[in-house]
């Protein structure tokens, strides 16, 4: 999953999906929000462009008007999370993909991200690969459930994740963890490069990204675990939390625009 620069834990595909779901978004604004400090994104396979490499603005202009259905899916190995079969391998490798349906057809759009530069000054090259796929709505609904379901499941997962974090005592075991935990707690969708969101969608996105950050912190080491059984039990619980959070994040990006 490739996070956008100004939205901790929010993948590029999620930022793009949220903008494509907005009413009459300005293509230039969408491009700036999705690209952030990346190099200009490129797009291959965009309908109507043949072998020509398109720009991210071309993609936005093609799909930001007219009836459309969009969602940003977050697959993982063993969990395609509703990604159409034709795009499963590429999307699982990337950790994310955008699915779009318009009057002209359905597509899965996978971002391939290449990092360059040093750890202190890292840049990213992003190429979006557009793949034609069959209609995906039914499979996605079955894999993700409703936004209300996602919010309820996240509340339960938050308890599990918090207990795992507390039992690991990562703030004591890792010098960087205290600052990271505080940053997670302070994160808000108000500062993200996304259009205005309704209350439930914003809550689910914020809690899902917060849980993913907690899981990342809690799986960095075994902290205070005293035996392999404890390590395995905690890992199993956190894998379920991570799956719930990925599915919820995707459910919060789903929209049908008439």
């Amino acid at each position: 999953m490739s996070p956008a620069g100004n939205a901790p834990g929010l993948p590029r595909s999620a930022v793009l999906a949220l903008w494509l779901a907005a009413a009459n978004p300005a293509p230039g604004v969408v491009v700036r929000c999705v690209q952030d400090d990346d190099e200009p994104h490129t797009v291959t396979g965009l309908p109507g462009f043949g072998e020509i490499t398109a720009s991210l603005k071309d993609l936005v202009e093609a799909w930001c008007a007219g009836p459309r259905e969009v969602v940003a899916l977050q697959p993982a190995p063993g969990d395609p999370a509703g990604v159409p079969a034709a795009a499963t391998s590429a999307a699982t490798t990337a950790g994310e993909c955008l699915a779009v349906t318009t009057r002209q057809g359905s597509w899965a759009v996978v971002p391939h991200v290449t990092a360059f530069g040093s750890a202190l000054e890292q840049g990213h090259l992003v190429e979006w690969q557009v793949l034609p796929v069959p209609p995906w709505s039914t499979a996605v609904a079955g894999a993700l459930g409703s936004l209300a379901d996602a919010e309820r499941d996240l509340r339960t997962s938050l308890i599990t994740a918090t207990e795992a974090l507390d039992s690991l005592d990562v703030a004591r075991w890792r010098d960087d963890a205290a600052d990271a935990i505080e940053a997670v707690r302070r994160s808000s969708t108000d500062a993200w490069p996304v259009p205005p969101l309704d209350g439930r969608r914003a809550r689910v996105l914020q809690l899902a990204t917060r849980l993913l950050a907690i899981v990342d912190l809690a799986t960095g080491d075994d902290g205070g675990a005293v035996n392999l059984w404890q390590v395995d039990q905690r890992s199993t619980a956190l894998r379920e939390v991570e799956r719930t959070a990925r599915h919820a994040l995707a459910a919060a990006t789903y929209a049908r625009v008439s």
Side-chain angles (χ1 to χ4, degrees):
M1 187 163 62
S2 305
N6 290 329
L10 195 63
R12 294 173 178 84
S13 60
V15 177
L16 181 53
L18 291 169
W19 278 108
L20 291 179
N24 303 312
V29 172
V30 179
V31 169
R32 287 195 297 274
C33 290
V34 177
Q35 285 184 174
D36 192 45
D37 57 0
D38 296 337
E39 295 297 305
H41 293 193
T42 59
V43 182
T44 60
L46 188 65
F49 281 75
E51 299 295 322
I52 300 173
T53 298
S55 68
L56 183 58
K57 187 176 182 181
D58 293 324
L59 182 153
V60 174
E61 289 176 338
W63 290 338
C64 72
R68 58 199 181 275
E69 194 172 10
V70 299
V71 68
L73 301 169
Q74 315 300 316
D79 176 25
V83 175
T88 298
S89 178
T92 300
T93 298
E96 59 175 308
C97 84
L98 173 76
V100 178
T101 292
T102 70
R103 286 172 175 160
Q104 285 69 48
S106 296
W107 297 271
V109 191
V110 181
H112 300 282
V113 181
T114 303
F116 65 89
S118 68
L120 296 177
E121 295 185 15
Q122 194 170 75
H124 297 89
L125 300 172
V126 181
E127 178 188 288
W128 297 82
Q129 180 186 18
V130 182
L131 302 168
V133 296
W136 45 263
S137 297
T138 301
V140 165
L144 303 182
S146 69
L147 193 57
D149 293 336
E151 186 173 27
R152 184 184 62 248
D153 292 344
L154 283 174
R155 298 296 177 190
T156 302
S157 291
L158 180 61
I159 296 171
T160 302
T162 302
E163 288 175 348
L165 199 63
D166 289 344
S167 64
L168 281 168
D169 194 11
V170 294
R172 178 169 60 85
W173 286 82
R174 290 171 51 189
D175 293 338
D176 64 330
D179 290 341
I181 292 168
E182 185 57 29
V184 167
R185 288 172 176 160
R186 289 198 311 264
S187 66
S188 168
T189 57
D190 292 340
W192 292 356
V194 298
L197 304 171
D198 65 77
R200 172 168 279 170
R201 197 177 302 272
R203 287 195 306 272
V204 170
L205 281 171
Q206 186 165 321
L207 186 51
T209 54
R210 188 172 294 174
L211 279 172
L212 289 170
I214 289 173
V215 169
D216 185 57
L217 286 170
T219 54
D221 56 48
D222 294 328
V226 297
N227 56 49
L228 290 176
W229 183 84
Q230 283 190 350
V231 172
D232 183 63
Q233 291 294 104
R234 187 174 293 122
S235 297
T236 299
L238 288 173
R239 279 197 300 272
E240 181 59 24
V241 170
E242 191 264 353
R243 186 196 68 82
T244 298
R246 282 189 294 101
H247 285 209
L249 195 157
T253 66
Y254 172 79
R256 179 177 290 167
V257 182
S258 57

